[in-house]
């Protein structure tokens, strides 16, 4: 029957998706972790480390709308497979070149920039294709599985990466990442894409399609509210957690590298638990889940500043284990439920360009924020910055709780 065919196709796509994501995410996570170590140990510069974070963001800002339009115009399967093949080729060529010339930091920076540019095209196209590949009923589970894979790999890759880096040259990680992308591309060749009647090939110009995206976002008030909020959430999270937290742990609380690694692991466990919960449980009122998760995330960021507020013999390592676990749970909960909402609201023939534009929109301030935050923390107490970000985040969550468009979800 038609129902059996659709279920079989969705199951086949799910298996391919899981295996492909494990291969590519595992290779990328180890590469990113070792790349950060390589930069820190080679230069010892916080600024160069900030450059690595900026190189991950700028391609997404510049290419998000272009990638989205490409996803809506071209065959999505070809775009997905082609992106991974090009990434694999770029990494393998770079490995050969660096083996001949020796390690070159600026060449690796350039490689990272182009990899993130290609990955932007892949991510936008894959996200726009989820409904086609798995159906609307399978969205909750596949989003949870995707977050779960990322969390599981994030849990394992720092330990494995650190062990391998201690006796292996950095170039080997470039080769391993190239092989992981190649395996992912081969698996993706087997994706079974159904034909969507809702996806006519657009003949509009790039500027017209970009204008169409903005018109749609402006018309759909809930999307506009969500992504305007996401800009501020990215700012608060970047300053309060991404930039400040490692400095607080290492420079102020004088915790060891092992303790820092355990805290990162605890955060990944929180993400994994949240992914498992939402893989089984499908909340009907996503509005309530998103608001509660945002409040939990905001409170967790504020609690990072506790050592500034409390004195005495307090087991800060144990306290931070709880905070990082809650942060991991809440971030993943927000990600899963917001992504499902986007899939349900945006029509298939516009998913690529709308999601690509929104991605650029959200990340537009990140490079400046990371740079300014790093400079501030180098010269000031990071606890104050964390407390301010956490408080502002809590206020934003309370505002969203009473937003009329949110309540209509």
């Amino acid at each position: 029957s038609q129902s059996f065919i659709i279920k079989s196709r969705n199951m086949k796509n799910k298996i391919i998706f899981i295996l492909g994501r494990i291969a590519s995410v595992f290779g990328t996570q180890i590469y990113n972790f070792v790349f950060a170590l390589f930069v820190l140990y080679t230069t010892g510069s916080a600024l160069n480390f900030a450059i690595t974070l900026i190189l991950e963001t700028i391609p997404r800002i510049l290419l998000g709308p272009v990638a989205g339009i490409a996803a809506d115009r071209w065959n999505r399967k070809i775009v997905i497979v082609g992106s991974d093949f090009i990434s694999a080729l770029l990494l393998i060529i770079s490995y050969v070149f660096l083996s001949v010339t020796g390690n070159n930091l600026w060449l690796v920076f350039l490689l990272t920039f182009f990899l993130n540019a290609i990955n932007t095209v892949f991510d936008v196209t894959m996200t726009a294709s989820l409904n086609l590949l798995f159906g609307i009923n399978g969205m909750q589970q596949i989003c949870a599985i995707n977050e779960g894979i990322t969390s599981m790999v994030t849990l394992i890759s720092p330990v494995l990466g650190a062990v391998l880096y201690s006796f292996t040259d950095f170039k080997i990680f470039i080769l391993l990442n190239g092989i992981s992308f190649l395996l992912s591309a081969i698996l993706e060749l087997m994706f079974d894409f159904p034909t969507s009647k809702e996806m006519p090939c657009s003949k509009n110009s790039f500027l017209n399609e970009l204008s169409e995206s903005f018109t749609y976002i402006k018309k759909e008030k809930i999307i506009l509210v969500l992504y305007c909020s996401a800009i501020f959430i990215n700012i608060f999270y970047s300053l309060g957690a991404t930039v400040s937290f490692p400095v607080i742990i290492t420079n102020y609380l004088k915790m060891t590298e092992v303790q820092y690694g355990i805290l990162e692991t605890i955060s990944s466990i929180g993400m994994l638990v949240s992914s498992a919960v939402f893989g089984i449980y499908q909340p009907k009122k996503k509005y309530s889940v998103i608001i509660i998760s945002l409040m939990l995330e905001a409170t967790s960021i504020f609690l990072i500043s506790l050592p500034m507020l409390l004195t005495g013999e307090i087991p800060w390592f144990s306290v931070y284990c709880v905070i990082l676990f809650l942060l991991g749970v809440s971030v993943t909960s927000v990600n899963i439920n917001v992504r499902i909402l986007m899939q349900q609201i945006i029509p298939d023939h516009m998913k690529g360009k709308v999601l690509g534009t929104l991605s650029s929109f959200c990340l537009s301030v990140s490079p400046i924020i990371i740079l300014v935050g790093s400079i501030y923390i180098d010269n000031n107490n990071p606890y104050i910055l964390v407390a301010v970000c956490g408080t502002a985040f809590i206020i934003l969550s309370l505002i969203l709780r009473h937003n009329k468009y949110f309540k209509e979800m």
Side-chain angles (χ1 to χ4, degrees):
S1 67
Q2 186 67 21
S3 175
F4 177 76
I5 293 170
I6 292 171
K7 285 182 179 178
S8 299
R9 183 186 65 212
N10 289 350
M11 180 56 69
K12 174 189 171 186
N13 286 338
K14 189 183 293 183
I15 293 168
I16 294 167
F17 179 84
I18 292 170
L19 294 175
R21 289 300 287 168
I22 290 172
S24 62
V25 174
F26 192 69
T28 301
Q29 287 284 358
I30 290 183
Y31 171 82
N32 287 340
F33 178 80
V34 174
F35 176 48
L37 287 180
F38 174 70
V39 170
L40 286 171
Y41 279 101
T42 303
T43 68
S45 168
L47 182 60
N48 280 331
F49 183 68
I51 289 172
T52 65
L53 297 176
I54 291 169
L55 285 173
E56 293 175 11
T57 309
I58 288 177
R60 295 184 179 276
I61 296 170
L62 297 178
L63 294 178
V66 179
I69 291 170
D72 289 341
R73 284 189 174 193
W74 300 338
N75 183 302
R76 287 180 181 171
K77 181 175 180 178
I78 292 173
V79 174
I80 288 169
V81 175
S83 297
D84 272 353
F85 266 124
I86 293 170
S87 293
L89 188 63
L90 186 62
L91 283 158
I92 292 168
I93 290 172
S94 298
Y95 167 75
V96 173
F97 187 82
L98 289 172
S99 296
V100 174
T101 62
N103 288 339
N104 183 316
L105 182 61
W106 291 104
L107 181 64
V108 179
F109 276 150
L110 195 62
L111 170 64
T112 302
F113 177 86
F114 282 115
L115 280 177
N116 281 287
I118 298 165
N119 204 36
T120 299
V121 177
F122 175 90
D123 283 344
V124 171
T125 308
M126 178 60 85
T127 303
S129 304
L130 292 179
N131 190 27
L132 280 174
L133 288 169
F134 307 107
I136 198 66
N137 293 329
M139 285 302 307
Q140 176 91 28
Q141 190 179 52
I142 207 64
C143 286
I145 287 171
N146 187 37
E147 291 290 333
I149 290 169
T150 303
S151 305
M152 183 177 64
V153 171
T154 304
L155 192 66
I156 299 168
S157 58
V159 178
L160 186 59
V163 171
L164 291 174
Y165 185 67
S166 64
F167 61 83
T168 307
D169 189 80
F170 173 67
K171 294 188 292 290
I172 297 298
F173 292 94
I174 294 177
L175 179 62
L176 288 174
N177 199 17
I179 293 170
S180 73
F181 273 113
L182 187 60
L183 289 172
S184 181
I186 292 169
L187 286 165
E188 287 155 2
L189 280 169
M190 294 180 278
F191 266 139
D192 186 355
F193 270 78
T195 303
S196 175
K197 297 176 182 178
E198 209 182 325
M199 293 178 61
C201 183
S202 174
K203 295 180 180 179
N204 293 332
S205 68
F206 171 79
L207 289 177
N208 283 342
E209 292 214 40
L210 196 59
S211 175
E212 189 181 343
S213 299
F214 282 113
T215 302
Y216 177 82
I217 292 167
K218 186 178 178 182
K219 184 183 72 174
E220 287 288 346
K221 299 299 183 185
I222 181 59
I223 294 179
L224 185 62
V225 169
L226 272 172
Y227 278 85
C228 284
S229 303
I231 291 176
F232 291 100
I233 291 170
N234 280 339
I235 292 172
F236 301 147
Y237 188 88
S238 295
L239 293 177
T242 306
V243 177
S244 300
F245 177 70
V247 176
I248 289 172
I249 292 299
T250 55
N251 294 358
Y252 285 79
L253 296 179
K254 305 298 181 183
M255 291 189 191
T256 65
E257 292 86 349
V258 173
Q259 287 176 310
Y260 177 68
I262 291 171
L263 289 173
E264 289 290 318
T265 301
I266 293 291
S267 176
S268 298
I269 291 172
M271 293 177 180
L272 200 57
V273 168
S274 187
S275 301
V277 169
F278 287 105
I280 300 166
Y281 168 63
Q282 299 190 16
K284 292 181 180 179
K285 294 185 178 180
K286 288 189 168 46
Y287 156 76
S288 301
V289 175
I290 291 171
I291 292 298
I292 292 168
S293 300
L294 285 172
M295 283 296 297
L296 182 58
E297 184 179 349
T299 305
S300 299
I301 289 175
F302 178 81
L303 291 175
I304 292 173
S305 68
L306 272 181
M308 178 182 73
L309 306 172
L310 302 176
T311 56
E313 293 296 321
I314 297 172
W316 287 117
F317 176 70
S318 299
V319 171
Y320 274 113
C321 281
V322 176
I323 293 171
L324 266 289
F325 179 81
L326 295 176
L327 191 60
V329 168
S330 57
V331 167
T332 301
S333 174
V334 172
N335 287 345
I336 290 172
N337 288 285
V338 168
R339 284 174 184 171
I340 292 167
L341 268 180
M342 295 299 100
Q343 293 289 336
Q344 291 173 341
I345 295 170
I346 305 169
D348 274 337
H349 71 281
M350 292 190 68
K351 270 198 176 81
K353 53 177 161 281
V354 172
L355 291 171
T357 302
L358 290 171
S359 175
S360 295
F361 190 48
C362 291
L363 294 172
S364 56
V365 296
S366 290
I368 298 170
I369 290 298
I370 289 171
L371 200 58
V372 171
S374 300
I375 294 168
Y376 175 85
I377 289 168
D378 277 344
N379 301 285
N380 298 278
N381 188 331
Y383 289 121
I384 297 172
L385 183 62
V386 174
V388 169
C389 287
T391 303
F393 197 164
I394 291 170
I395 293 170
L396 175 63
S397 301
L398 291 171
I399 292 170
L400 288 175
R401 182 174 180 269
H402 297 285
N403 182 274
K404 64 177 183 178
Y405 300 112
F406 244 79
K407 289 183 176 180
E408 290 171 2
M409 287 194 300

